[in-house]
Amino acid sequence: MDAYARMKELVDKLNKYATLYYDEDAPVVSDAEYDALYDELRALEEKEGYSLGNSPTHRVGGAPQKKFEQTKHLLRLYSLDKCRTEEEIADWYAKIVKEVGREPALTAEYKFDGLTLSLLYDKGELVQAATRGDGITGEVVTAQVKTIKKLPRSISYKGKIEIQGEGIMRLSALERYNATADEPLKNARNGAAGAIRNLDPSVTARRGLSFMAYNVGYSDRHFATQAEVHEFLKAEGFETESDFTIARNADEAFAFAEHTDEIRPTLDFLIDGVVFKVNEMALRDDIGYTDKFPKWAIAYKFKADEMTTVLKDVVWQVSRSAKLNPLAVLEPVDIGGVTVQRATLNNYGDILKKKVRIGDRVFIRRSNDVIPEITGVAEQVEGAKDVEKPVVCPACGSPIREVGAFLYCTGEHCAPQIVSALDHFASKDAMDIDGFSEKTAEQFYNELGVRTPVDLMSLTADKIVDLDRFGDKKADNLIKAIQKAKDTTADRLLFALGVGGIGKKTAKDLIKRFGTIENLMKADKDELTAVDGIGDVLADNIIAYFADETNVELLNGLYACGVTVREEEKKEGVFSGMRLVLTGSLPTYKRGEATRLIEENGGEVASSVSKTVDLVVAGDDAGSKLDKATKLGIRIIDEEEFKRMLGL
């Protein structure tokens, strides 16, 4: 294919994708796929020295829709040039240094993934809200934007001013919306864009949107720096990016980008990169603009966490709780440097709500080390087939029991359930049997007839030494690990039993309240629900579990084969006797690490704020827990104070 033909093909594709993205809020490719085609087109245009008249490289955003009233922005809204490597940041900064003759400071902030908005305030009142549109003309969406609860309707500044920012849907708001929606939203970006560009403001209101302010467009007031703009926006009551930073050079800018990429999975909103701007306003005119971009700003894009691919099949796996979990088999796709071939679909109800069919092109999102998830259908393909609901267990052939959106195997001797339960029992947070894995559990099930944790804890070296993958040393090491695991704590043993809904934290809370598993077995519903985090459903699960004689026999059998429960050594420290709540994302510590530090220093971490909580450690983007703590008058500290208390 010659250069002109490829250029035309790319222009046609990108214009089609842009129409679906900007005008219909119904994208059929991910941002990363669009960007890759766009970059190819731009490189081809530079190489050939010309471009087609309808090339997307000439425009900013999408044309305003005719169904909305249109308005001209007082000051043009530009798009941003993009980079993806440390070298590209350095090259961009080197050009700026050459232009201004010194190393100017940069501001560094999040690149939100939502819908760009421009809000016009006059005499202190919000008089108009508009989308970016093509950068010159936007759509009037004032009624829709006024449904955003935390958006200031009036500000103290009485001049004429345009506040620019992003309309976003927080991930927590997306989760709440999708929990009751007839048709779930594919992602938070589409949730925000579709809500704002809807003629019915009540639709916008139901999405629970937020507005993150990051810039001032036209203004009667002069601002000397971007940092001054940021402080002004905060002072006027706008939600702003909490990690806003000044970088002295390209190295510090890239360090900010790396740190932000690390904490991205902990944020309650989507970001797809960070934005760097020359801080001093006076320098910006010297540096200048292209037709589309300011040369004094650039967006550093993270590796993709969402792509599209073809759903080839759906297979059903049986968990230790007998639940059948649908697993999507995908056409392999690279997401952020990882090849993804499998993704979760949660349950059969999720398949129906998302209207997923075998053969369709679907959106796949991968966040950090979390299992990739199908978030929705990108493109319905002719000939695609519905996903069939199983009527019998794919592992043992037993009939299926349907409970709401979930399917369960009714078989008593279903191999995958047993293998998974053994693997859970031996896991690190449970009995912690070093060297035991799901593969080992499967081998012992098939070759030794191991069916229960009692069978596992009763094994001797002579029974496993001749098995494939074993030998004298490996067999001896595993038996030593089993013997060591027999000396355990009550919360570990309780977690290992696999009672539905009891995680490791809940197990700790229950043992702290009742002292022993035997006392827990005698507890009634009122006593159980009095424990923080235990609701009616979990209380019923616990009561039903210990009412089953088989489960009681299992516990007694474990005691009989040598399992003993020791009292966990009480830790003493600065948090002794205190209950703490962690909320928001801490700059340095991940949630697990902060929890460990609290527990090692005598404290207890609670999941919710109540009058029994002594201290709240609040990080960035702390939400309702922080609000509740403030109302209750509970002491609130940040990470710096947390570290000071620990002597770190």
Side-chain angles (χ1 to χ4, degrees), residues 126-287:
L126 174 60
V127 295
Q128 183 176 270
T131 64
R132 179 174 67 180
D134 61 8
I136 297 170
T137 303
E139 302 145 336
V140 176
V141 287
T142 312
Q144 290 82 352
V145 168
K146 281 187 174 180
T147 68
I148 298 175
K149 290 182 179 178
K150 290 189 177 180
L151 182 73
R153 302 297 186 274
S154 59
I155 58 177
S156 65
Y157 180 68
K158 301 307 178 186
K160 186 174 283 190
I161 189 168
E162 285 181 320
I163 306 296
Q164 296 167 356
E166 202 85 355
I168 65 168
M169 190 174 192
R170 292 183 180 274
L171 300 180
S172 53
L174 176 70
E175 186 177 354
R176 285 193 298 273
Y177 181 87
N178 279 350
T180 58
D182 292 332
E183 186 170 343
L185 297 167
K186 295 173 186 176
N187 56 48
R189 191 268 164 200
N190 284 95
I196 294 169
R197 303 178 81 212
N198 190 295
L199 291 173
D200 184 357
S202 67
V203 172
T204 319
R206 285 197 295 274
R207 302 275 173 97
L209 303 187
S210 300
F211 175 76
M212 306 299 290
Y214 52 68
N215 196 36
V216 168
Y218 174 86
S219 175
D220 292 335
R221 170 176 169 171
H222 171 72
F223 293 93
T225 64
Q226 185 68 34
E228 188 181 331
V229 168
H230 182 74
E231 289 305 313
F232 168 80
L233 294 171
K234 278 204 309 183
E236 290 290 2
F238 291 95
E239 286 193 271
T240 58
E241 197 258 284
S242 56
D243 249 358
F244 182 92
T245 299
I246 301 292
R248 291 174 296 180
N249 50 47
D251 289 341
E252 288 188 6
F254 183 67
F256 175 86
E258 283 194 308
H259 169 72
T260 304
D261 198 13
E262 282 179 15
I263 66 168
R264 181 164 52 138
T266 70
L267 301 175
D268 190 31
F269 42 74
L270 295 180
I271 60 172
D272 57 0
V274 294
V275 176
F276 303 118
K277 303 172 187 173
V278 171
N279 188 32
E280 296 170 64
M281 299 292 184
L283 294 179
R284 294 181 177 182
D285 287 337
D286 295 336
I287 299 167

Side-chain angles (χ1 to χ4, degrees), residues 56-120:
T57 59
H58 300 318
R59 69 168 179 264
V60 175
Q65 288 190 40
K66 292 181 180 177
K67 66 180 182 180
F68 288 97
E69 179 190 346
Q70 297 179 15
T71 184
K72 285 191 178 295
H73 302 297
L74 299 181
L75 200 64
R76 179 180 174 183
L77 280 77
Y78 284 86
S79 184
L80 289 171
D81 201 2
K82 300 177 180 68
C83 66
R84 290 179 174 80
T85 66
E86 183 177 8
E87 291 73 25
E88 287 175 326
I89 294 175
D91 289 346
W92 167 76
Y93 188 67
K95 291 175 185 175
I96 289 173
V97 171
K98 184 177 180 181
E99 184 68 38
V100 301
R102 59 183 173 89
E103 293 191 347
L106 304 172
T107 57
E109 52 197 292
Y110 297 159
K111 184 179 181 296
F112 294 100
D113 196 4
L115 184 70
T116 302
L117 297 169
S118 180
L119 313 183
L120 176 61

Side-chain angles (χ1 to χ4, degrees), residues 352-381:
L352 294 178
K353 286 178 79 171
K354 291 175 179 173
K355 300 180 180 178
V356 172
R357 299 180 306 164
I358 295 169
D360 281 341
R361 179 165 285 275
V362 293
F363 282 103
I364 308 295
R365 177 167 288 276
R366 178 181 180 272
S367 179
N368 206 16
D369 295 324
V370 178
I371 298 169
E373 179 184 8
I374 290 180
T375 59
V377 175
E379 192 172 10
Q380 291 186 329
V381 176

Side-chain angles (χ1 to χ4, degrees), residues 288-308:
Y289 298 79
T290 68
D291 286 343
K292 284 186 67 175
F293 312 121
K295 294 180 182 178
W296 43 262
I298 198 165
Y300 174 84
K301 295 290 291 278
F302 295 138
K303 287 182 180 178
D305 61 0
E306 183 177 69
M307 297 290 283
T308 64

Side-chain angles (χ1 to χ4, degrees), residues 433 436 440 444 447-448 450 452-467 470-483 486 561-562:
I433 301 177
F436 190 87
T440 310
F444 285 7
E447 299 182 36
L448 298 178
V450 172
T452 70
V454 174
D455 295 338
L456 174 61
M457 301 304 274
S458 302
L459 285 175
T460 53
D462 61 292
K463 291 183 180 179
I464 61 176
V465 69
D466 293 327
L467 295 178
F470 280 87
D472 289 339
K473 185 173 181 181
K474 189 172 180 180
D476 186 54
N477 286 343
L478 182 58
I479 296 304
K480 284 179 179 176
I482 289 172
Q483 293 304 317
K486 288 180 179 180
C561 72

